[in-house]
């Protein structure tokens, strides 16, 4: 049953796979690899909230579940998928105490420290063309990694704790991503040399190709990055490398948008959503594309989906949604969205003056 479940997942027969996982969990609710699979399936089918119900049921029915590394790992993945980096880190940190889950939990903690807001590493378009900062962008191909030094030191300490990695390739990939995130030219050039050596032995390794493309973007070698990302866009989807493939498609879409190749970007973003209906970033990029063509109604639809996927906690997406409502004269919706953002982020810049007050004055006219 478990083997068949894996085959249906790999073929992206998600509904069938969900049924098989749920059948397995009926007899063994604390089989955490299956719980993890179910959460990922729910995410890919756009029903991540249903995963929360499963986790709540386990918490209430399985004795000592909160002490188990596997259950904490599942909770961490759910929070990470939901855009809640702080809680995800807390659960992964607990999971690290369990030998079976320790290495994977450590790698996830490193990824969160390097990219807590789940941005497109090496990408520029959402940052440079977003509604808030559209006036002061020079829009050249630079990195937007910007990891603070404390986070980098934390990731270095975490990686040192992995003494004999079960997955040596993943370990090397993590080490490279930490060095790339320092954005020091010498470090990044060294990483490129290491990756070139690794790719000689494994020319199709998706993690190494993706890391190399990010490194090239940090070094402002956009054409070399584009060549590698184009190669990755031709790779067949696989469950094992699904996250890196999604990141590479988003990054290539970012480069296409920067070069005004909207149709090519859209194909990649649609592909992200085909494999993962909860891909918040894809909706954010599609919203931006609609915004640039002044189709604010379509922009709002994509931003609303992204906003919902963030559980209405991401103020950047909320701002873009409120702006799109304002531009299509949906003033009540704009005001409601502003209130929601300001309740959680009272000092959020510009939104009060540029959206809330304008929407209110238009409503009074």
């Amino acid at each position: 049953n478990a083997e068949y479940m894996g085959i249906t997942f790999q073929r992206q027969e998600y509904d069938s796979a969900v049924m098989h996982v749920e059948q397995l969990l009926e007899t063994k609710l604390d089989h955490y690899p299956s719980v993890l699979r179910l959460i990922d399936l729910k995410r890919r089918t756009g029903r991540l909230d249903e995963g929360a119900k499963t986790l709540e049921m386990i918490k209430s029915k399985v004795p000592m579940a909160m002490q188990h590394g596997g259950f904490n790992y599942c909770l961490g993945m759910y929070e990470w998928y939901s855009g809640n980096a702080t809680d995800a880190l807390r659960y992964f940190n607990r999971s690290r105490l369990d030998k079976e889950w320790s290495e994977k939990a450590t790698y996830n903690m490193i990824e969160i420290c390097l990219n807590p807001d789940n941005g497109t590493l090496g990408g520029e378009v959402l940052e440079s063309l977003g509604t808030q900062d559209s006036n002061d962008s020079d829009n050249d191909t630079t990195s937007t990694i910007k990891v603070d030094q404390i986070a980098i030191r934390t990731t270095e300490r975490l990686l040192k704790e992995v003494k004999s990695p079960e997955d040596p390739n993943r370990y090397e990939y993590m080490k490279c991503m930490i060095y790339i995130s320092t954005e020091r030219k010498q470090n990044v050039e060294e990483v490129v040399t290491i990756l070139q050596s690794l790719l000689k032995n494994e020319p199709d390794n998706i993690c190494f190709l993706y890391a190399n493309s990010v490194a090239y973007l940090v070094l402002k070698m956009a054409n070399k990055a584009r060549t590698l990302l184009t190669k990755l866009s031709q790779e067949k989807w696989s469950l094992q490398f699904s996250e890196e493939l999604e990141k590479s498609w988003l990054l290539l879409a970012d480069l296409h948008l920067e070069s005004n190749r909207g149709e090519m970007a859209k194909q990649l973003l649609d592909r992200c959503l085909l494999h993962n209906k909860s891909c918040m970033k894809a909706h954010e990029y599609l919203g931006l594309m609609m915004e640039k063509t002044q189709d604010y109604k379509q922009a709002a639809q994509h931003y609303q989906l992204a906003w919902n996927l963030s559980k209405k906690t991401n103020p950047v997406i909320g701002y873009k949604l409120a702006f799109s409502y304002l531009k299509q004269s949906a003033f009540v919706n704009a005001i409601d969205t502003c209130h929601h953002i300001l309740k959680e982020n009272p000092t959020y810049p510009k939104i009060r003056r540029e959206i809330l007050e304008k929407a209110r004055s238009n409503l009074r006219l």
Side-chain angles (χ1 to χ4, degrees), residues 178-195:
I178 292 169
Y179 277 123
I180 291 166
S181 297
T182 65
E183 298 195 271
R184 293 194 195 106
K185 192 168 184 279
Q186 187 180 341
N187 284 357
V188 183
E189 285 173 343
E190 196 178 313
V191 166
V192 170
T193 306
I194 292 166
L195 286 166

Side-chain angles (χ1 to χ4, degrees), residues 13-32:
E13 295 165 4
Y14 293 143
D15 290 333
S16 178
V18 165
M19 186 179 74
H20 284 284
V21 181
E22 287 177 337
Q23 280 175 359
L24 194 70
L25 291 175
E26 278 173 20
T27 55
K28 196 161 171 52
L29 196 54
D30 61 349
H31 189 260
Y32 296 118

Side-chain angles (χ1 to χ4, degrees), residues 90-108:
R90 186 159 52 88
Y91 290 125
F92 287 138
N93 199 35
R94 285 185 196 167
S95 183
R96 280 196 312 135
L97 303 173
D98 186 320
K99 192 170 183 295
E100 184 187 345
W101 298 89
S102 179
E103 187 175 330
K104 286 183 287 202
T106 300
Y107 294 155
N108 290 347

Side-chain angles (χ1 to χ4, degrees), residues 9 14 17-18 21 37-46:
F9 194 117
Y14 293 143
V18 165
V21 181
R37 182 80 40 107
L38 184 65
I39 291 165
D40 193 21
L41 281 164
K42 295 288 189 184
R43 172 181 70 132
R44 292 185 183 282
T45 52

Side-chain angles (χ1 to χ4, degrees), residues 3 28 74 95 108-109 159 165 178 200 242 257 275 358:
E3 187 182 345
K28 196 161 171 52
C74 293
S95 183
N108 290 347
M109 289 179 73
L159 196 65
I178 292 169
K200 271 181 190 161
S242 55
L257 286 172
H275 294 288
K358 285 180 184 175

Side-chain angles (χ1 to χ4, degrees), residues 89-246:
L89 279 172
R90 186 159 52 88
Y91 290 125
F92 287 138
N93 199 35
R94 285 185 196 167
S95 183
R96 280 196 312 135
L97 303 173
D98 186 320
K99 192 170 183 295
E100 184 187 345
W101 298 89
S102 179
E103 187 175 330
K104 286 183 287 202
T106 300
Y107 294 155
N108 290 347
M109 289 179 73
I110 290 169
E111 291 213 47
I112 292 171
C113 288
L114 295 179
N115 188 13
D117 300 321
N118 199 25
T120 307
L121 290 182
E124 179 79 347
V125 167
L126 284 176
E127 285 73 19
S128 67
L129 295 179
T131 47
Q132 276 187 276
D133 301 308
S134 54
N135 298 329
D136 48 25
S137 157
D138 53 10
N139 196 30
D140 62 349
T141 305
T142 55
S143 168
T144 55
I145 297 178
K146 300 186 181 76
V147 183
D148 68 55
Q149 291 306 306
I150 296 168
I152 286 171
R153 281 199 294 275
T154 302
T155 61
E156 289 169 341
R157 180 177 56 77
L158 284 165
L159 196 65
K160 276 179 188 164
E161 289 178 18
V162 181
K163 298 299 181 194
S164 38
E166 291 170 25
D167 186 347
N169 278 352
R170 179 67 58 172
Y171 181 89
E172 288 300 324
Y173 167 68
M174 285 295 154
K175 193 159 68 173
C176 289
M177 291 308 292
I178 292 169
Y179 277 123
I180 291 166
S181 297
T182 65
E183 298 195 271
R184 293 194 195 106
K185 192 168 184 279
Q186 187 180 341
N187 284 357
V188 183
E189 285 173 343
E190 196 178 313
V191 166
V192 170
T193 306
I194 292 166
L195 286 166
Q196 295 294 312
S197 171
L198 291 166
L199 284 163
K200 271 181 190 161
N201 299 325
E202 296 188 59
D204 297 320
N205 185 295
I206 287 165
C207 289
F208 297 157
L209 287 167
Y210 167 69
N212 204 352
S213 63
V214 177
Y216 279 145
L217 284 168
V218 172
L219 295 170
K220 299 187 170 64
M221 298 177 177
N223 288 336
K224 284 191 172 185
R226 191 178 280 109
T227 301
L228 291 184
L229 291 167
T230 302
K231 177 180 166 72
L232 280 169
S233 74
Q234 292 155 0
E235 289 286 336
K236 190 180 175 187
W237 187 87
S238 81
L239 176 59
Q240 185 184 357
F241 299 111
S242 55
E243 301 304 322
E244 286 73 33
L245 284 170
E246 181 176 290

Side-chain angles (χ1 to χ4, degrees), residues 245-286:
L245 284 170
E246 181 176 290
K247 288 173 190 173
S248 70
W249 297 342
L250 290 168
L251 187 48
L252 185 54
D254 189 291
L255 291 177
H256 284 328
L257 286 172
E258 205 174 357
S259 310
N260 294 315
R261 296 186 183 121
E263 195 48 51
M264 292 171 83
K266 188 176 183 305
Q267 285 172 13
L268 288 160
L269 298 169
D270 287 343
R271 194 191 305 176
C272 289
L273 290 167
L274 174 69
H275 294 288
N276 176 14
K277 286 187 169 65
S278 300
C279 183
M280 200 186 307
K281 222 66 193 165
H283 282 301
E284 199 178 347
Y285 277 113
L286 288 164

